[in-house]
Amino acid sequence: MPTPTALPLPSVRFTGGLWHDRIQLIREVTLPRQWQALNDAIPDAPPSRAVRNLRIAAGCEDGEHYGLCFQDSDLAKWTEAASYRIALAPNEAMARALDEVVALYVAAQDDDGYLHTYTQLRAPDQRWTNLRDLHELYCAGHLIEAAVAHHEATGSRDLLEVGIKFADLLVRTFGYGEGQLRAYPGHPEVELALVRLAAATGDGRYLDLAEFFVRTRGSEEPKYFAEEAERRGEAEPPIYVHGDDQAYWQAHRPPPDQAEPRGHAVRAMYLYAAMADLARERGDAGLAASCRRLWDDMVARHLYIIGGVGSDGPGGEKFSAPYDLPDDRSYAETCAAIGLVFWARRMLDLELDARYTEVLERALYNNVLAGISLDGCHYFYVNPLATQPRETHRRYDCRMVKTQRVPWFGCACCPPNVARLLGSLGQYAVSRTERGLALHLFAALSIKWEGWTLRLETDYPWSGSVEIKVESAPTGVSELAWRASGPTQGASWTLNGAALDATPTQGYLRVAREWQTGDVLAAELPLPVQRMRAHPSLTAAAGRVALQRGPLVYAVEEIDHGPELSSLGVTRSAALEATVPADAPWAGVVTIGGEAVREAAGSELYHADKLAERETTTLRAVPYAWWGNRGEGEMRIWIRDYES
Amino acid sequence: MPTPTALPLPSVRFTGGLWHDRIQLIREVTLPRQWQALNDAIPDAPPSRAVRNLRIAAGCEDGEHYGLCFQDSDLAKWTEAASYRIALAPNEAMARALDEVVALYVAAQDDDGYLHTYTQLRAPDQRWTNLRDLHELYCAGHLIEAAVAHHEATGSRDLLEVGIKFADLLVRTFGYGEGQLRAYPGHPEVELALVRLAAATGDGRYLDLAEFFVRTRGSEEPKYFAEEAERRGEAEPPIYVHGDDQAYWQAHRPPPDQAEPRGHAVRAMYLYAAMADLARERGDAGLAASCRRLWDDMVARHLYIIGGVGSDGPGGEKFSAPYDLPDDRSYAETCAAIGLVFWARRMLDLELDARYTEVLERALYNNVLAGISLDGCHYFYVNPLATQPRETHRRYDCRMVKTQRVPWFGCACCPPNVARLLGSLGQYAVSRTERGLALHLFAALSIKWEGWTLRLETDYPWSGSVEIKVESAPTGVSELAWRASGPTQGASWTLNGAALDATPTQGYLRVAREWQTGDVLAAELPLPVQRMRAHPSLTAAAGRVALQRGPLVYAVEEIDHGPELSSLGVTRSAALEATVPADAPWAGVVTIGGEAVREAAGSELYHADKLAERETTTLRAVPYAWWGNRGEGEMRIWIRDYES
């Protein structure tokens, strides 16, 4: 039976600094505002109608279903996020909103457990006839995750019972038995939910069903989605599947045999995360090896420097060819980076190795954080690594790229996904190990769990000073593990002032001892400004560098440098300095300064045997996730790497 | 009345070298093969059915119309090209094929002159109800051009009468009079044809109608295409119009008020060419200024280095924002470069200025020539400036880019357009001026016209030696003008062995004297290998150079350098040599050699504070137009410009 490695949500609390402030913002601004959005109460934003759809299905209101086939999931993700919020800090308004939603879910659920307002209101007789496109199981998954979160937050079983009833319907509907569907969802998600429900209920049937969905996927010819489409009388696959055929849904071959991340990026991340869950739960070394192989290929050939994936946006939000990571039409969907964090966290459960943590951190501090504005109520769905508004507005293949964050989307999967990830971030900061605790993220936080009271003090990523204070520890020998790779590499750790004699294992320092109240681990992480360069096949980065400090990737913006950023860069000898300048755009946010260089524009488009004149200017690079919070303008991460 | 500045086709003959050989190939291979294609006789090529459609409309065969609404124009362009062929060199098979086509045109034409098989066979009652999309006037234009060419080649009036009858119908149908349509075509072309028909027939009504189409375009609110769409009950404009609204059809404002090239690139080129025709015919200085303004903006901000235009392919084959000239998803449609040659030639008629010739030559030697294979029967529609097949095949927004030339297209506008341009190339090489002749292209050719017999001897662009021999000249003073700009700049010209005392005017040397039999003008054009660099806002070229020699832009190919060309480049000190190596891929074709540099691929996608190792290799750059003739592989024009 699944044994969660995350600590219960209230056991880990951010006490200050970046994540603390962002989580506060999610609580106080984002979640109430999203509730308004879901209730269609934000002027000038596309309507959601997610609550209204549920009210209609519940019989509380007349009307027709509005929106996409996965509109329900926006509300479910919000329900999950709001549950985290009240788990950490009770709040009456939020609790009332949750009660209202739970009551609607209860009322909207069909007698046999089915709940998908799109199908219920539009074509109730067509359940499970289009698993490829219609997201019934995806919505089921999000509802079940919300149900578990709500139960854990409130103790109430009301929504959990809805989730269980739906899951039981799934157990009856899908399987190898007679009359059952040997099928799998077009968009993985229910697998993750079923693993979680199995852990919450102790009912192994849900884990079996999760495994069934993973194992049957793409495993039989003809492929289920092709068979199903033929039954519906469909001639052509959707146009975005272009050339990818079943790979769009990761159904081109059985998941254990997949070696390269393919297809729709969010679906891929959710599937691979589920594979990691199963590899661990079943102790399946073969499946674990498949996960590692997919992971390594993603990191070596498919990962944006911001920790994002999916670079073929117009082609259906999917993975492109290896090294095809363009910056101006990058997709790097916020949800895909969130999915990557889910997967990374589960790989860490499989094996404590900092290579997963590094990517988790990269995704979190850059791609995920860029997905939400500093005011907490505007969002990016697509996260470009470079924008030039005049091109972005004109080009058809950039039509999904927004140059400024918006209050909501017609397809609003990302906003509540950010809320639920950041709302449960403590579960990504720390995990239970066989012999103690592992600390993954450096942030100011306090941990109280089974005899442990730990306090981390740091304002990482802004500076590198870290202290881990043991305020209490379980009796006997136990192990504390913490990251010593990536930005946290090269630090000299002390224990109670004396040099610590330990070498990292798979990027983690692991110290087993009888921990005492008053023990202090301390280090100064160096956090230099780094010039990152890319593999020569990554064309968008050729002859360019990206600036990085700690986990933060930096970008330059038009507001600081004027327009035409394409030639802006730094020479190799230029001194680059991490600094909070007097006129810093945001208090406490470290920028990178120094001398920048750009080419002067002549009037000619092409010129022969002549070098462009260069101008010098002052560099002010800002953390990528902060870009676009000061009006519309150009932005770019990969800047010119002038040799001299 | 229009007075053509081109000499009659038989007056200018290529006598050897590149153009001679290509025109031979067009004659002997391309045109017969295209006739097969138009008759659906090429296995594994998409069917054309253009002849069959006409046979059905002519009542010779039963069946339904097949293909696009402009399918007729493929056959009309071929008819024009085949007419040029027999004008230059009689050929029985070709003459028979032409007779067959002409008889079909005569039979297919409606009694009132209408001829558009798409409408005739599909919806004969819906003539002129969708000028925006249905290409009736575009097809009319190509038919009329073919009619004029056929008449000039054969003396027969059979097809000319078809053209006149159709043009007369247009004169009755369109105009400001009562019951007439105040409308204009979605795709300009008929304007060019009407100017040509006016010159051929001396009938000024056709010129008036051409002017009417140009003047009414986008000049009234509501726009005609919007009104017309409303009459058809259409709610939405076609999706590719994305954000461009009427600009897609250059109907956003009256053409004289347009300042930036916008919309569908081929349409834009044909419209601007027609504007230049009218500016000249009407002596309209305002319209001429508009043409110059559009030209200058195109050259300064919208022109690919290969002389191509249109960089937003997925967005409807259209112009993008200024400087947005990506190389891997360039569109640079062959037809757009052909249209650019048409426009440039007409600008030269408006004013003899070598800035037009330079672009004409750039387009011709690079983008146009790349459109057809060395075997004369495979074509590019889209001309990328860089290809990486693994990306091109995978990316949805590159789905219109082919990595190898193909025998025919479902939308086959380009192949017969190449044939008609190259088949009439003599008309672009030389023009009649008020006081004599102007030579635009350096090529081995002989000119016989009104007392002149000139012989040009050169194997330009391979080497720079040029002789212009006067074998006879008209009596009295007359002027010879020839280009002295661009690749032909910096040459020391001699007249009969003595230094020529003349300075160029607008890039042309113009010498007025009593020319004598035996006069010889000679020069050695330097033709150095040039490193071309681009405006800093052209991102795809940032930190890169393109190699050029004479009019030829060069490219590197995988077959010569191995894969992963993204980091291949040259240092600034590397000596680059124009050479025909012993193992030259094509006899006589000059390649560029020297030492090339590339970055060694490590296994990491990103690395900090570390420079990539460099490897040296041997450069072999080939003329861009020759690329893709040796199997599939990577190609790129913009290579790395290593400072050291």
Side-chain angles (χ1 to χ4, degrees):
Chain A
M1 199 52 50
T3 43
T5 65
L7 308 195
L9 211 53
S11 299
V12 184
R13 288 177 186 271
F14 291 88
T15 54
L18 174 58
W19 292 121
H20 170 267
D21 296 350
R22 288 301 179 102
I23 292 165
Q24 278 299 113
L25 189 70
I26 297 277
R27 272 186 204 169
E28 302 305 327
V29 176
T30 307
L31 285 171
R33 189 89 175 160
Q34 291 191 352
W35 177 242
Q36 290 183 300
L38 293 162
N39 284 280
D40 319 311
I42 299 184
D44 301 326
S48 160
R49 309 259 164 96
V51 174
R52 187 170 175 268
N53 287 338
L54 195 60
R55 290 179 56 79
I56 297 168
C60 306
E61 194 171 329
D62 285 335
E64 288 178 359
H65 182 274
Y66 173 89
L68 301 163
C69 59
F70 48 87
Q71 211 81 351
D72 285 358
S73 63
D74 298 341
L75 180 59
K77 282 188 268 186
W78 180 87
T79 303
E80 184 184 340
S83 298
Y84 297 145
R85 190 252 185 273
I86 61 171
L88 287 166
N91 176 282
E92 219 174 296
M94 193 103 316
R96 265 202 315 274
L98 276 173
D99 287 347
E100 183 186 332
V101 172
V102 171
L104 287 174
Y105 277 128
V106 170
Q109 186 167 39
D110 286 346
D111 289 343
D112 64 353
Y114 188 84
L115 214 174
H116 184 240
T117 67
Y118 183 92
T119 301
Q120 289 171 302
L121 300 178
R122 294 185 186 224
D125 57 335
Q126 284 172 43
R127 280 187 192 180
W128 319 127
T129 56
N130 186 353
L131 292 177
R132 189 189 70 188
D133 303 329
L134 288 188
H135 287 65
E136 290 157 284
L137 288 167
Y138 172 85
C139 291
H142 280 300
L143 179 57
I144 291 166
E145 289 211 70
V148 173
H150 184 259
H151 171 64
E152 288 173 355
T154 63
S156 156
R157 291 188 63 89
D158 294 353
L159 191 56
L160 185 65
E161 292 297 344
V162 172
I164 289 172
K165 198 167 160 187
F166 202 169
D168 288 344
L169 173 66
L170 302 185
V171 168
R172 293 194 302 277
T173 306
F174 296 91
Y176 296 111
E178 207 173 329
Q180 287 185 305
L181 285 169
R182 277 160 83 147
Y184 40 89
H187 195 316
E189 151 59 26
V190 73
E191 301 83 346
L192 296 171
L194 289 166
V195 172
R196 204 166 162 183
L197 185 65
T201 60
D203 188 336
R205 293 177 309 146
Y206 306 133
L207 189 62
D208 294 343
L209 183 59
E211 183 165 15
F212 167 84
F213 283 135
V214 170
R215 295 274 174 205
T216 52
R217 189 168 209 90
S219 63
E220 290 177 0
E221 295 292 347
K223 302 292 189 197
Y224 184 76
F225 295 149
E227 268 190 297
E228 187 200 55
E230 204 183 307
R231 277 200 295 273
R232 289 194 306 273
E234 270 180 32
E236 297 280 323
I239 188 164
Y240 51 78
V241 173
H242 167 71
D244 249 10
D245 194 33
Q246 297 287 324
Y248 182 78
W249 304 281
Q250 295 82 39
H252 51 306
R253 61 183 62 154
D257 300 342
Q258 297 182 21
E260 183 191 356
R262 290 287 302 275
H264 186 269
V266 181
R267 297 174 205 231
M269 294 300 101
Y270 284 28
L271 173 66
Y272 307 152
M275 285 165 66
D277 266 346
L278 288 168
R280 174 167 169 269
E281 296 307 330
R282 301 300 198 200
D284 183 332
L287 199 55
S290 301
C291 291
R292 260 181 234 113
R293 195 171 57 215
L294 282 162
W295 179 272
D296 289 344
D297 191 56
M298 176 189 71
V299 172
R301 307 196 301 168
H302 291 279
L303 183 68
Y304 274 111
I305 194 166
I306 58 172
V309 288
S311 60
D312 184 4
E317 319 186 310
K318 68 182 198 283
F319 280 93
S320 182
Y323 306 111
D324 181 29
L325 297 163
D327 58 357
D328 57 343
R329 55 191 164 141
S330 57
Y331 205 71
E333 184 184 336
T334 304
C335 278
I338 292 169
L340 174 52
V341 170
F342 294 160
W343 184 21
R345 180 67 183 75
R346 284 163 173 83
M347 292 306 288
L348 277 172
D349 285 349
L350 206 51
E351 51 189 349
L352 189 65
D353 190 323
R355 62 188 171 135
Y356 306 119
T357 327
E358 279 180 45
V359 172
L360 187 158
E361 195 184 38
R362 187 177 286 282
L364 195 58
Y365 275 96
N366 299 290
N367 199 341
V368 173
L369 207 48
I372 182 165
S373 61
L374 295 177
D375 69 7
C377 49
H378 293 81
Y379 308 92
F380 278 135
Y381 184 115
V382 175
N383 292 278
L385 277 74
T387 57
Q388 157 56 275
R390 77 169 171 245
E391 293 180 10
T392 308
H393 295 316
R394 189 79 72 85
R395 284 198 77 84
Y396 185 70
D397 50 11
C398 289
R399 69 195 180 284
M400 293 154 100
V401 180
K402 301 223 180 285
T403 56
Q404 299 214 274
R405 293 179 186 83
V406 298
W408 202 249
F409 302 94
C411 170
C413 49
C414 299
N417 223 2
V418 172
R420 74 182 183 123
L421 172 60
L422 298 188
S424 58
L425 195 65
Q427 302 200 324
Y428 297 80
V430 188
S431 64
R432 187 177 51 69
T433 62
E434 273 171 38
R435 302 168 61 197
L437 287 178
L439 310 178
H440 308 302
L441 298 179
F442 287 109
L445 48 79
S446 75
I447 302 163
K448 277 186 207 218
W449 183 72
E450 296 199 355
W452 287 104
T453 307
L454 296 179
R455 180 171 292 275
L456 259 73
E457 290 180 0
T458 180
D459 72 341
Y460 182 89
W462 308 126
S463 79
S465 165
V466 184
E467 282 194 346
I468 304 170
K469 295 181 175 171
V470 180
E471 295 183 348
S472 74
T475 43
V477 172
S478 54
E479 186 187 85
L480 264 187
W482 66 96
R483 266 181 77 204
S485 80
T488 68
Q489 200 159 22
S492 301
W493 283 87
T494 59
L495 173 56
N496 302 326
L500 185 73
D501 179 27
T503 48
T505 310
Q506 294 183 300
Y508 274 79
L509 283 165
R510 309 177 73 143
V511 176
R513 64 192 294 270
E514 292 193 21
W515 291 95
Q516 306 295 329
T517 299
D519 281 346
V520 177
L521 289 158
E524 188 68 37
L525 314 175
L527 303 188
V529 174
Q530 292 178 307
R531 286 171 163 84
M532 305 296 291
R533 295 186 178 86
H535 190 281
S537 297
L538 202 172
T539 306
R544 296 181 176 272
V545 289
L547 304 182
Q548 185 174 330
R549 181 172 176 267
L552 295 169
V553 174
Y554 279 71
V556 292
E557 289 198 84
E558 180 175 340
I559 192 171
D560 298 314
H561 304 90
E564 309 306 322
L565 295 178
S566 170
S567 77
L568 190 85
V570 290
T571 62
R572 291 194 179 157
S573 59
L576 300 177
E577 199 188 10
T579 166
V580 181
D583 61 340
W586 305 283
V589 172
V590 174
T591 62
I592 296 175
E595 188 182 86
V597 177
R598 71 195 318 155
E599 292 178 352
S603 58
E604 288 174 308
L605 190 50
Y606 306 108
H607 49 89
D609 294 325
K610 171 170 102 182
L611 295 174
E613 302 272 314
R614 289 203 196 155
E615 298 164 348
T616 59
T617 180
T618 302
L619 177 73
R620 175 173 292 177
V622 301
Y624 170 73
W626 273 251
W627 91 272
N629 277 289
R630 294 177 289 163
E632 185 179 55
E634 287 182 49
M635 178 278 296
R636 102 175 350 266
I637 286 178
W638 291 108
I639 60 174
R640 291 285 298 280
D641 178 23
Y642 289 106
E643 290 179 40
S644 60
Chain B
M1 198 53 48
T3 43
T5 67
L7 310 194
L9 211 54
S11 299
V12 184
R13 289 177 184 272
F14 291 88
T15 54
L18 174 57
W19 292 122
H20 170 268
D21 295 350
R22 287 300 177 101
I23 292 166
Q24 278 298 112
L25 189 69
I26 296 278
R27 273 187 203 168
E28 304 305 327
V29 177
T30 307
L31 285 170
R33 189 87 175 163
Q34 291 191 353
W35 177 242
Q36 289 183 302
L38 293 162
N39 284 281
D40 320 311
I42 300 185
D44 301 327
S48 160
R49 309 256 164 97
V51 173
R52 187 171 175 269
N53 287 338
L54 194 61
R55 290 178 57 78
I56 297 168
C60 307
E61 195 170 328
D62 285 334
E64 288 177 1
H65 182 273
Y66 173 89
L68 301 163
C69 59
F70 47 89
Q71 212 81 351
D72 284 359
S73 64
D74 297 343
L75 180 59
K77 283 188 268 188
W78 181 87
T79 304
E80 184 184 339
S83 298
Y84 297 143
R85 190 253 184 273
I86 61 170
L88 287 166
N91 176 282
E92 218 175 296
M94 193 103 318
R96 264 202 316 276
L98 276 173
D99 288 346
E100 181 185 332
V101 173
V102 171
L104 287 174
Y105 277 127
V106 171
Q109 187 166 39
D110 285 347
D111 289 343
D112 64 354
Y114 188 86
L115 214 174
H116 184 240
T117 68
Y118 182 91
T119 301
Q120 289 171 301
L121 300 179
R122 292 184 188 225
D125 57 336
Q126 284 172 43
R127 281 187 190 180
W128 319 126
T129 56
N130 186 353
L131 291 177
R132 189 189 70 189
D133 302 329
L134 288 189
H135 288 63
E136 289 158 285
L137 288 167
Y138 171 85
C139 290
H142 280 301
L143 180 56
I144 291 167
E145 289 212 69
V148 173
H150 185 259
H151 170 64
E152 288 173 355
T154 61
S156 155
R157 291 189 63 89
D158 293 353
L159 191 56
L160 185 65
E161 293 297 345
V162 173
I164 289 172
K165 198 168 162 187
F166 202 168
D168 289 344
L169 172 67
L170 303 185
V171 168
R172 293 193 302 277
T173 306
F174 295 92
Y176 295 110
E178 207 174 328
Q180 287 185 306
L181 285 169
R182 278 161 81 144
Y184 40 89
H187 196 315
E189 151 60 24
V190 73
E191 300 83 347
L192 296 171
L194 288 166
V195 172
R196 204 168 162 183
L197 185 64
T201 59
D203 189 335
R205 294 176 308 145
Y206 305 134
L207 188 62
D208 294 343
L209 183 59
E211 183 166 15
F212 166 85
F213 283 136
V214 170
R215 296 272 174 204
T216 51
R217 189 169 208 89
S219 64
E220 290 176 1
E221 294 293 347
K223 302 291 189 196
Y224 183 76
F225 295 150
E227 268 189 297
E228 185 199 59
E230 206 184 306
R231 277 201 296 274
R232 290 194 305 273
E234 271 180 33
E236 296 280 322
I239 188 164
Y240 51 78
V241 173
H242 168 68
D244 249 11
D245 193 34
Q246 297 287 324
Y248 182 78
W249 304 282
Q250 296 82 37
H252 52 306
R253 61 183 62 156
D257 300 341
Q258 296 183 20
E260 184 192 355
R262 291 286 302 276
H264 186 270
V266 181
R267 297 174 205 232
M269 294 300 101
Y270 283 27
L271 173 66
Y272 307 153
M275 286 166 65
D277 266 347
L278 287 168
R280 174 167 169 269
E281 296 308 331
R282 300 303 199 201
D284 184 331
L287 198 56
S290 302
C291 290
R292 260 180 234 114
R293 197 172 55 216
L294 283 161
W295 179 273
D296 289 345
D297 192 55
M298 175 189 71
V299 171
R301 307 195 303 166
H302 292 279
L303 183 68
Y304 274 110
I305 195 167
I306 57 171
V309 287
S311 59
D312 185 5
E317 319 185 312
K318 70 180 196 283
F319 279 94
S320 182
Y323 306 112
D324 181 28
L325 297 163
D327 58 357
D328 57 343
R329 55 190 165 142
S330 57
Y331 205 70
E333 183 184 338
T334 305
C335 278
I338 292 168
L340 175 52
V341 169
F342 295 161
W343 184 21
R345 181 66 183 76
R346 283 162 174 84
M347 291 306 289
L348 277 173
D349 284 349
L350 206 51
E351 51 188 350
L352 189 65
D353 189 323
R355 63 189 170 133
Y356 306 120
T357 327
E358 280 181 44
V359 172
L360 187 157
E361 194 184 38
R362 187 177 285 282
L364 195 58
Y365 275 96
N366 300 290
N367 199 341
V368 173
L369 206 48
I372 182 165
S373 61
L374 295 176
D375 68 9
C377 49
H378 293 82
Y379 308 93
F380 278 135
Y381 184 114
V382 175
N383 292 278
L385 277 75
T387 56
Q388 157 55 277
R390 83 172 165 241
E391 293 180 10
T392 308
H393 294 318
R394 189 77 72 87
R395 284 198 76 83
Y396 185 68
D397 49 11
C398 289
R399 69 195 180 285
M400 293 154 100
V401 181
K402 303 223 181 284
T403 56
Q404 298 214 274
R405 293 179 186 81
V406 298
W408 201 249
F409 302 94
C411 169
C413 50
C414 299
N417 224 2
V418 173
R420 74 183 182 122
L421 173 61
L422 298 187
S424 59
L425 195 66
Q427 302 200 322
Y428 297 80
V430 188
S431 63
R432 186 177 51 69
T433 62
E434 274 171 36
R435 303 169 62 196
L437 287 178
L439 311 178
H440 307 302
L441 299 179
F442 287 109
L445 47 81
S446 75
I447 301 163
K448 277 188 206 208
W449 183 72
E450 296 200 354
W452 288 104
T453 307
L454 297 179
R455 181 172 291 278
L456 259 73
E457 290 181 359
T458 180
D459 72 341
Y460 181 90
W462 307 126
S463 79
S465 164
V466 183
E467 281 193 346
I468 304 171
K469 295 181 174 169
V470 180
E471 294 184 348
S472 74
T475 45
V477 172
S478 54
E479 186 186 85
L480 264 187
W482 67 96
R483 267 180 75 204
S485 80
T488 69
Q489 200 159 21
S492 301
W493 284 86
T494 59
L495 171 57
N496 302 328
L500 185 73
D501 180 25
T503 48
T505 310
Q506 295 183 299
Y508 274 79
L509 283 164
R510 308 176 74 145
V511 176
R513 64 193 294 270
E514 291 193 21
W515 291 95
Q516 306 295 330
T517 299
D519 280 346
V520 177
L521 289 158
E524 189 66 39
L525 313 176
L527 303 188
V529 174
Q530 292 178 308
R531 285 169 165 87
M532 304 296 291
R533 296 187 178 86
H535 190 281
S537 296
L538 202 172
T539 307
R544 296 181 177 272
V545 289
L547 304 181
Q548 186 174 329
R549 180 172 177 267
L552 295 169
V553 174
Y554 279 72
V556 292
E557 290 198 84
E558 180 175 339
I559 193 171
D560 298 313
H561 303 91
E564 309 306 322
L565 295 178
S566 171
S567 77
L568 190 83
V570 289
T571 63
R572 292 195 179 157
S573 59
L576 300 177
E577 199 188 11
T579 166
V580 182
D583 60 342
W586 306 283
V589 172
V590 174
T591 61
I592 297 176
E595 187 181 87
V597 177
R598 72 196 317 157
E599 291 177 352
S603 59
E604 287 173 308
L605 190 50
Y606 306 107
H607 49 88
D609 295 325
K610 170 170 100 182
L611 296 173
E613 302 272 313
R614 289 204 196 155
E615 297 164 349
T616 60
T617 179
T618 303
L619 177 73
R620 174 172 293 178
V622 301
Y624 170 73
W626 273 250
W627 92 269
N629 277 289
R630 293 176 289 164
E632 186 179 55
E634 286 182 49
M635 178 277 296
R636 102 172 353 262
I637 286 177
W638 291 109
I639 61 173
R640 291 286 298 280
D641 178 22
Y642 290 106
E643 291 179 40
S644 60

